[in-house]
Amino acid sequence: AVLHRLWAEIDKTVKQQVTMARMGIGECGTGWQLFAEDGEMKMYRREEEIDGMVVDPLKAVHVVKGITGHEVCHYFFSPKYRYDWETTLEHMTVLETISDDTLLFLQTHKRIWPASQREAVFWSHMRKLPNDQDRDGPDMWTVVNNSTEDESHPANSGKCVRIYLTVCLLCQTRVHPPKDGTPITRDNVSCKITYCSVVNPGGWAPASVLRAVYKREYPKFLKRFTTYVTNQTKNKPIMF
Ligand SMILES: CCCCCc1ccc(-c2ccc(S(=O)(=O)CCO)cc2)cc1/C=C\c1ccccn1
């Protein structure tokens, strides 16, 4: 197959992001602060600035019963569900279908006062990963979103400030087979979710505003999204 112009970057970025997502918080370097906790969900952030702009990396870990990694990645990746769970989204367009597991998105997000409105152009790639540690363990699934340039949508040419993001959603399915050998049901599966994100807000935005947005929005986003997947899948056959 003819390789797409972005394929080398996509493959390299996915491998890098998955390696980082698999590392425990302790191995990810110092300075991680636990800033939100809700049941199984733990959210960490590190305070980092580039040219005086807040780019705090975020890492969240969560375990959700009754859904699989394939299902979580499917609902995160597919554009047709995004307006259902992404509350900060104002508009989303698929600029290019690079392949059936790789899309190029343009998204504008709702304005967060007093900062100006933001937009993102990013490729999104979904992939099943061999579980190289535990041979007969269930596979892992990932979606990586990474900002990229697009000639037909130059940055900061309209009213929106272009943000630059790298996001990795890494999912590991856990199956607890029933003792009596009956078929596996949703009561026997759970999914360990690791969500890593670094968002450079692009233009200047007050550090206090950005940190307040992250603190408020990220826990809401992960809970809302995982609840959405649970509700969408509960009466459907399990997607392993
Ligand atoms: C002043 C505010 C500047 C930054 C605003 C902002 C814009 C976009 C984004 C963002 C967040 C997650 C993704 S994704 O995981 O790829 C899913 C697809 O949508 C894409 C974009 C983040 C944020 C900043 C905060 C924030 C945090 C969680 C939710 C919403 N906003």
Side-chain angles (χ1 to χ4, degrees):
V2 175
L3 292 183
H4 188 273
R5 70 183 187 287
L6 285 172
W7 181 246
E9 175 193 320
I10 290 170
D11 201 41
K12 187 174 123 237
T13 307
V14 167
K15 285 173 176 146
Q16 270 171 352
Q17 287 301 311
V18 167
T19 303
M20 300 240 294
R22 290 175 79 160
M23 288 159 64
I25 272 295
E27 309 161 79
C28 280
T30 55
W32 288 95
Q33 306 157 12
L34 176 68
F35 76 92
E37 208 166 349
D38 182 343
E40 293 290 322
M41 184 180 79
K42 290 182 173 54
M43 279 206 158
Y44 304 84
R45 71 186 178 157
R46 236 191 12 236
E47 300 214 347
E48 250 175 58
E49 301 193 5
I50 294 178
D51 305 335
M53 279 190 301
V54 165
V55 292
D56 300 357
L58 177 120
K59 184 168 185 141
V61 287
H62 196 3
V63 178
V64 183
K65 290 187 177 23
I67 54 179
T68 67
H70 189 182
E71 290 167 339
V72 172
C73 288
H74 170 73
Y75 286 99
F76 186 76
F77 174 76
S78 308
K80 65 181 172 200
Y81 308 112
R82 196 156 298 175
Y83 285 112
D84 297 345
W85 55 265
E86 178 66 291
T87 52
T88 68
L89 197 57
E90 184 181 82
H91 194 250
M92 169 198 66
T93 313
V94 175
L95 296 176
E96 187 182 345
T97 299
I98 295 170
S99 64
D100 61 359
D101 60 9
T102 311
L103 301 173
L104 184 67
F105 285 101
L106 165 62
Q107 293 192 167
T108 55
H109 287 256
K110 289 172 186 153
R111 182 167 178 249
I112 298 172
W113 185 88
S116 37
Q117 186 170 28
R118 257 68 184 176
E119 69 173 19
V121 171
F122 58 91
W123 52 257
S124 181
H125 176 70
M126 175 161 143
R127 181 182 295 190
K128 178 162 121 175
L129 303 155
N131 187 331
D132 49 14
Q133 257 141 8
D134 169 0
R135 185 112 9 247
D136 57 3
D139 299 311
M140 297 197 295
W141 283 84
T142 190
V143 175
V144 175
N145 295 345
N146 192 54
S147 288
T148 187
E149 301 302 322
D150 178 69
E151 307 82 74
S152 57
H153 292 82
N156 305 316
S157 57
K159 62 180 181 348
C160 291
V161 171
R162 179 71 55 90
I163 66 168
Y164 298 89
L165 60 87
T166 301
V167 166
C168 177
L169 178 72
L170 179 69
C171 298
Q172 296 158 289
T173 307
R174 291 172 179 162
V175 180
H176 327 272
K179 301 275 170 297
D180 51 6
T182 50
I184 289 176
T185 70
R186 288 196 178 277
D187 294 340
N188 311 122
V189 299
S190 64
C191 181
K192 183 184 176 214
I193 299 171
T194 304
Y195 175 88
C196 302
S197 109
V198 179
V199 176
N200 181 322
W204 184 79
S208 55
V209 166
L210 272 168
R211 291 197 163 120
V213 169
Y214 291 171
K215 205 170 164 75
R216 185 186 68 235
E217 290 292 336
Y218 274 115
K220 227 166 74 179
F221 149 74
L222 196 56
K223 268 196 83 61
R224 179 181 170 89
F225 172 66
T226 51
T227 305
Y228 175 77
V229 176
T230 300
N231 293 335
Q232 286 291 315
T233 54
K234 67 180 157 212
N235 302 320
K236 293 191 179 86
I238 302 173
M239 218 170 147
F240 283 105

